[in-house]
Each structure stands twice: as structure tokens, then as C-alpha cells.
Amino acid sequence: NEREASYNKKNMTFEKHHEREIVENADVTQGNLVLGISIDESSKREKYVAIVYNSILGGSATSKMFQIVREKHSLAYTASSNYLRHKNCIFVRCGIEIDNYKKTLDLIKVQIEDMKKGEFTEYDIQNAKKGIISIVRMIPEEQDTEVTYYLGQELAEQKMTFEEYEGEVNSVTKEEIMSFASKVNVDTIF
């Protein structure tokens, strides 16, 4: 699919969303499938919603990507997603057999649509929050991680204690996640 979009450098977001597919061929049986997902205009509050959304989608071992794409359907050796807070995007990554490309891509898109429809449970939300908070509580344990945390706060021009961060994550609701999910657009498929 050809993409026509203008790029806003200040906000690092795309104004129009059309999928662009990039394929690099090699004589291999295993490959990588990466989806670049752009997020329309996230507010400071939505950054915390995005963290929980990402954890449910592919950011943990209990995520949709891991449990459905990898475990249930055996379409990927690895299946995860990462939220890049400062770039306002999410990357979904799967290690796949090339022959499973189309099936895997379609199943990933179903997971993204299911998030928009609210097809995740309160248990999924609580599990995501526990995982995120567990990671946050480990930040002060390692000096490099703590420096990175505070640098990120400087870049975002906000100061927040670990307790305040936990409070923001814990207050995320299913309705907020669904609203956020409606702003998610697959931008690039590689």
C-alpha cells in the first residue's frame, strides 16, 4: 500500500494514516515482521494509558501478542510490542516463518482491533498494571536505570516521584484504554 502522509517533526506524528508495506526478500525460512504503529496526539495522561495498552497488546508474557499469536496459534517464535513514549509510537515485533507472514499479520491486526473493541478483561488490565509497577519499583535498584528514568523526565519536562508514577498507572481505566486504542493506526509493515 502506498502512503501519502505529511510528517510533523515537532510532534513526531503522521497527520494521515495509510499503511505502507516494505518487504526485503532473502533466501531464508525465518524472518522478522515489524509493524510500526503511530498514535494520534497523545496527552500527558494518555502516555500512562499507552503504557498499560502496550503491556496488554504485547509488552508482557501475558499479552495478546505472546498468548495468542505465539502460544495459541504458534505463528511466531517471538511476539512482543514496545512503546516509544518520546516518539509517540509502538512497534510490534514477531520472529516468524516467512510462509506464515500473511496469517501472522492478519492475526496481529485482529489483536489491535480487539483492543479497540474492548476485548480484554479487567484481569488483563490489573495484570498489566502489576507488571509495570514491578518494573517501576526496580528502577532505584540500578543506577543506570534510575539515571535513564530521570533523563526521560527531563526530556518530557515533567517531574514525578515513583509513587506518583504508580498512581497514574493504577488509575488507568478500561474506557481510557479503549479510547486510546481508537487513536492507534498501523503505519508501516516491514
Side-chain angles (χ1 to χ4, degrees):
N1 298 341
E2 192 58 38
R3 185 177 103 167
E4 300 169 11
S6 60
Y7 188 65
N8 181 328
K9 289 182 181 179
K10 182 178 179 189
N11 293 328
M12 294 185 205
T13 59
F14 289 91
E15 294 169 2
K16 291 183 181 179
H17 300 281
H18 301 281
E19 289 179 9
R20 177 176 58 163
E21 187 172 14
I22 301 168
V23 178
E24 287 185 7
N25 292 313
D27 190 19
V28 296
T29 57
Q30 296 178 5
N32 291 305
L33 172 59
V34 179
L35 275 72
I37 300 173
S38 59
I39 303 163
D40 288 337
E41 304 175 29
S42 287
S43 66
K44 285 185 180 182
R45 171 65 183 161
E46 284 181 321
K47 301 287 185 185
Y48 299 99
V49 177
I51 293 166
V52 178
Y53 169 92
N54 179 67
S55 183
I56 296 168
L57 178 65
S60 71
T62 60
S63 69
K64 288 178 164 289
M65 293 299 305
F66 190 87
Q67 292 299 317
I68 297 171
V69 177
R70 183 181 185 273
E71 295 295 310
K72 184 177 180 182
H73 293 277
S74 301
L75 288 173
Y77 305 106
T78 61
S80 64
S81 66
N82 298 85
Y83 170 55
L84 283 77
R85 181 179 185 161
H86 302 295
K87 299 273 186 192
N88 220 27
C89 64
I90 294 172
F91 285 105
V92 173
R93 292 182 173 94
C94 291
I96 63 168
E97 288 185 29
I98 302 299
D99 292 342
N100 291 332
Y101 169 75
K102 180 75 172 121
K103 284 198 294 192
T104 307
L105 178 60
D106 289 346
L107 190 56
I108 292 168
K109 287 182 177 182
V110 167
Q111 303 320 302
I112 293 168
E113 288 305 310
D114 283 353
M115 293 294 291
K116 292 178 183 184
K117 296 177 200 170
E119 293 184 18
F120 52 94
T121 66
E122 191 61 37
Y123 175 79
D124 295 329
I125 297 168
Q126 292 308 316
N127 205 24
K129 289 177 181 180
K130 285 178 187 175
I132 294 162
I133 289 169
S134 175
I135 291 167
V136 170
R137 289 182 178 166
M138 289 176 23
I139 291 171
E141 304 281 325
E142 294 191 30
Q143 199 172 37
D144 291 349
T145 308
E146 191 170 19
V147 167
T148 302
Y149 174 80
Y150 287 116
L151 176 62
Q153 287 200 356
E154 284 294 322
L155 293 173
E157 297 178 356
Q158 71 180 44
K159 303 281 191 261
M160 182 174 283
T161 67
F162 296 122
E163 293 79 15
E164 290 169 328
Y165 192 100
E166 286 181 31
E168 289 289 339
V169 169
N170 273 325
S171 67
V172 171
T173 66
K174 184 170 186 167
E175 292 74 24
E176 286 178 303
I177 297 168
M178 290 173 63
S179 175
F180 174 83
S182 71
K183 297 179 180 185
V184 167
N185 297 290
V186 174
D187 180 74
T188 304
I189 302 164
F190 179 78

